[in-house]
Amino acid sequence: QQPVQSPQAVILREGEDAVINCSSSKALYSVHWYRQKHGEAPVFLMILLKGGEQKGHEKISASFNEKKQQSSLYLTASQLSYSGTYFCGRLPNTGNQFYFGTGTSLTVIP
Amino acid sequence: KAGVTQTPRYLIKTRGQQVTLSCSPISGHRSVSWYQQTPGQGLQFLFEYFSETQRNKGNFPGRFSGRQFSNSRSEMNVSTLELGDSALYLCASSADSRTEAFFGQGTRLTVV
């Protein structure tokens, strides 16, 4: 039920790009992305709906492949403030039971 | 507008006791979801309430229960606490569970 994210952890230098993948074994209605900094609550980044509608956030974008039941989060020109744990979350076609992914720890160093 | 407020922020309880956590959502939001976060299990869905009705429940034992009031405020109750219940409990508020959610700072529960 829980989406699987890859990689589990990544370290970047400032200015580098990163891709975080989220894969689900269940059909997806929508995919949500959140970032959680250490000791803080998760913060909403992005929602991707079935049919391609997307809401974005600054230099972060995402894709949603409904057939493959996968989503990818793209972080370009990473900044120190991008550090944190990224979670994808899925909503099924029916029902409202929300499942967060396994998480990806991202660290940006100077 | 005011964010999601969870109280208390920290709690220490003894095994066997019960605990009640509170969540006040953003004004106008009718959906409140609860999550348990632990280092080993990540973010686990507990349940979701919408307009005072529980719409969904995760895979947690019956010791975990909740309710939502007419003003959308929600409470979560855990009875007969076990050591494994030690976790950060997060509440999320949204207009509907299919839209973006806003999280509170969480309640850190420690069971000793």
Side-chain angles (χ1 to χ4, degrees), chain A residues 2 29 32 34 36 39-42 44 47 49 55 87 91-100, chain B residues 35 37 41-45 48 55-59 88 90 96-101 103-105:
Chain A
Q2 187 178 30
Y29 169 81
H32 302 210
Y34 291 82
Q36 184 177 29
E40 299 180 9
F44 170 80
I47 183 170
L49 302 175
K55 296 183 182 179
F87 293 97
L91 268 171
N93 283 334
T94 57
N96 297 284
Q97 194 155 349
F98 193 81
Y99 290 96
F100 276 99
Chain B
Y35 299 88
Q37 187 172 31
Q41 298 297 318
L43 277 158
Q44 300 289 314
F45 174 81
E48 187 244 351
R55 294 201 296 191
N56 295 278
K57 192 175 192 304
N59 297 323
L88 178 67
L90 291 161
D96 184 276
S97 61
R98 292 181 175 267
T99 61
E100 57 263 44
F103 282 82
Q105 291 301 307

Side-chain angles (χ1 to χ4, degrees), chain B residues 22-57:
Chain B
S22 179
C23 172
S24 292
I26 290 171
S27 178
H29 283 185
R30 294 193 291 168
S31 173
V32 174
S33 298
W34 288 89
Y35 299 88
Q36 181 195 65
Q37 187 172 31
T38 58
Q41 298 297 318
L43 277 158
Q44 300 289 314
F45 174 81
L46 280 156
F47 27 66
E48 187 244 351
Y49 286 88
F50 185 87
S51 294
E52 302 180 65
T53 300
Q54 185 182 89
R55 294 201 296 191
N56 295 278
K57 192 175 192 304

Side-chain angles (χ1 to χ4, degrees), chain A residues 7-46:
Chain A
Q8 284 187 314
V10 59
I11 299 175
L12 300 173
R13 291 201 176 275
E14 231 177 331
E16 291 183 335
D17 301 340
V19 179
I20 299 172
N21 300 303
C22 173
S23 182
S24 174
S25 60
K26 302 286 186 180
L28 300 171
Y29 169 81
S30 66
V31 176
H32 302 210
W33 285 94
Y34 291 82
R35 177 173 62 209
Q36 184 177 29
K37 293 182 180 287
H38 184 68
E40 299 180 9
V43 173
F44 170 80
L45 293 175
M46 181 87 57

Side-chain angles (χ1 to χ4, degrees), chain A residues 22-26 28 64-71:
Chain A
C22 173
S23 182
S24 174
S25 60
K26 302 286 186 180
L28 300 171
F64 179 20
N65 188 321
E66 298 162 28
K67 285 186 178 179
K68 292 186 177 180
Q69 295 168 182
Q70 292 177 345
S71 177

